[in-house]
Amino acid sequence: MTTLLSVEDLHVSYGKMEAVSGVSLDMQAGQIVTVIGPNGAGKTTLLSALMGLLPCKGRSRYESDDLTALSTEERVRRGICLVPERRELFSDMTVADNLILGAYTRWRERRAVQADLDEVFRRFPKLAERRRQLAGTLSGGEQQMLALGRALMAKPRLLLLDEPSLGLAPLIVREIFRIVVGLRELGVSILLVEQNARAALETADFGYVLETGCVVHSGPAAGLAHDPRVIASYLGGKVEPSS
Amino acid sequence: MTPEIAVLLAQDGITTGAIYVLVALGIVLIFLSTRVIFVPFGDVVGYAALTLAALQLKRIPGTVWLVLTLAAIATVVEVYGLTRRHQARRIPQALLYYAALPVAPAATAYLAAGYDLPMWAGIPITFAVVLPISPLLYRIAFRPLADASVLVLLIVAVAAHFALSGMALVFFGPEGFRTAPLTRAFFSVGPMTVSGQSILVVASAAVFGLLLFLFFERTLNGKALRATAVNRVGARLVGIELSNTAATAFLLASALAAISGILIGPITTLYYDSGFLIGLKAFVGAIIGGLVSYPATIVGAILVGLGESYASFWNSALKEVIVFGSLIPILLWQSFATRGGVVEDVEEEEGESRT
Ligand SMILES: Nc1ncnc2c1ncn2[C@@H]1O[C@H](COP(=O)(O)OP(=O)(O)OP(=O)(O)O)[C@@H](O)[C@H]1O
Ligand SMILES: [Mg+2]
């Protein structure tokens, strides 16, 4: 397996306040990696920095390139795509236009984009019904689906997901995790930030636990799911006494 | 006021209003995609009219020197930036966009000046000479400030206006110009006569308005421009390069300014600073539309044209006062109706772009 993304000693600050302090993280191609942690741990900040939306210090490489040298737009063109916590949809534009703009960097491949549009509509029939509706008038859950659909339209190779299941009904949450697993089969790597730690660790190959800007635990997801400290803080279960 | 006069004034008002529509659309286009209130926009309109007038008088239009100066500065800025970022292989492209393309029409105008140019040659030359002005100003003054606040951008825009209108005084002198009529035809529709000129102006405004609409609705680049206006972070996340959409917006707006100038040239006598006033009135129209909606902008600009036309009948000395005075109740009404919606939106966006 090849290393797709490797981040070393990343620091991100808002003014004087450091929100991410010295995070190191590795992702193999075709892996699902999850980052869990309490509110305010710096998960969103980490993803924004990886997308180039926030200035940061530290080394990061994507494939064989220095990531820090690339602008956000160049990262999108290289196949990195973020579904942000705040969705950042084009609220005054239709659902269909939002999706078409998701494929903005692929303007050369008209036919393929049309096929992908149909594919997204097939995955989210709710969006197909509302393709002429303005994105800003969709319900919270529908906006969530649209944000994910828009990211899929870019055909990402590294997808950064910031709480994709937030505010969604259980049935749709399951559909989202199914999509995530399906994407891995297509060779897409996914960095998944989730409040739903149990589902995230069940889906992921590798996990990191972030607290106040630092990685406190990391390891194969299955291992983390059985780590007593992680269970106590994030999975809400009792620590089973080790025999 | 007799009904005949009322109809005549309405016709006049709609004609100038149609030109304000084009100018106002340009102002809104730039504001929405870059948050710049482009104060020198009216000056660009003035440059277009005065350029055509100079060509018709067989003089070298001073616009040539303006474009050459702007192109030289922009080329230096761009090439310096590329060298510093070690992107030397993009220099040839920069030279094409910032030097060759703007200079070619200016050189044509320089060489063509002195000949008796027919209308069909003078108008395209004027259009091509004026076209690069706004994009070059963007590259020099606004692109380096992409993350600045709306206020800073406004201050820079005001400075650019003073620079442009000062140079216009040097280039064209204090006297007024009026270009040759585009057509001398008259049509009688029932009891009233309509000038071919008016029809041409209104038809052009309608055609270019429609083209703009199609661009926004049907093309990917047009959608990208709208997306940038709606959500700048979202636009970056789908890979839209904000500096490219901004350059496109300035280029399109510049085209609208050039067309407006060519259309208004034969209607009124223009001085070196008249363009600013045209821009200001169009801006009033844009404000009536709240600076956010294209259809409302069109209505607003036509209202301004009509208002000006009737105001000049009642008291021509006070017509500007009446037009600009009408802004006060409109602004009051808008601030009550929307509680400062535009300003809030802009501030919100700035907050977002920082996160
Ligand atoms: N724009 C900002 N300015 C100042 N501080 C900020 C800003 N954005 C986030 N922070 C702070 O940085 C810290 C990390 O925030 P972040 O949004 O990354 O947390 P998170 O892990 O995503 O939390 P959640 O699970 O609630 O989404 C928080 O303490 C937050 O208050
Ligand atoms: Mg978060």
Side-chain angles (χ1 to χ4, degrees), chain A residues 14 17 19 37-46 85 162-163 195, chain B residues 355:
Chain A
Y14 296 106
M17 213 267 307
N39 294 122
K43 305 181 296 289
T44 299
T45 307
L46 173 68
E85 191 171 34
D162 201 342
E163 308 201 14
Q195 289 296 342
Chain B
T355 51

Side-chain angles (χ1 to χ4, degrees), chain A residues 222-243:
Chain A
L224 279 183
H226 293 103
D227 187 317
R229 293 162 303 179
V230 175
I231 294 174
S233 323
Y234 302 104
L235 301 178
K238 287 194 199 77
V239 183
E240 287 141 34
S242 46
S243 49

Side-chain angles (χ1 to χ4, degrees), chain A residues 51-54 71-73 76-77 82 84 86 88-93 97 100-102 104-105 107 150, chain B residues 87 90 217 220-221 223-224 226-228 230-231 233-242 352-355:
Chain A
M51 204 59 218
L53 294 170
L54 289 173
S71 70
T72 301
E73 297 79 12
V76 177
R77 252 177 276 142
L82 168 68
R86 295 172 61 174
E88 310 290 2
L89 296 171
F90 306 120
S91 50
D92 286 354
M93 300 175 77
D97 279 349
I100 289 168
L101 282 165
Y104 179 77
T105 52
W107 53 273
R150 187 179 72 177
Chain B
Q87 294 177 317
R90 285 172 62 180
E217 285 295 320
L220 189 62
N221 279 326
K223 284 176 185 171
R226 275 166 62 206
T228 313
V230 177
N231 187 333
V233 177
R236 295 183 65 193
L237 287 179
V238 298
I240 296 171
E241 200 104 40
L242 296 193
E352 275 167 22
S353 58
R354 256 183 248 122
T355 51

Side-chain angles (χ1 to χ4, degrees), chain A residues 137-210:
Chain A
T137 63
L138 294 177
S139 78
E142 289 164 349
Q143 294 197 8
Q144 201 87 315
M145 295 175 215
L146 181 56
L148 184 58
R150 187 179 72 177
L152 294 182
M153 290 297 292
K155 275 241 178 294
R157 284 189 296 142
L158 170 58
L159 187 58
L160 313 177
L161 295 176
D162 201 342
E163 308 201 14
S165 70
L166 191 72
L168 289 178
L171 214 64
I172 304 290
V173 171
R174 226 169 299 148
E175 169 68 13
I176 293 219
F177 278 98
R178 233 197 335 266
I179 290 176
V180 167
V181 173
L183 285 172
R184 171 176 54 188
E185 261 133 52
L186 295 175
V188 180
S189 313
I190 293 147
L191 186 54
L192 176 66
V193 165
E194 259 295 337
Q195 289 296 342
N196 190 344
R198 190 180 302 278
L201 288 174
E202 274 168 16
T203 321
D205 303 300
F206 205 87
Y208 291 87
V209 180
L210 205 63

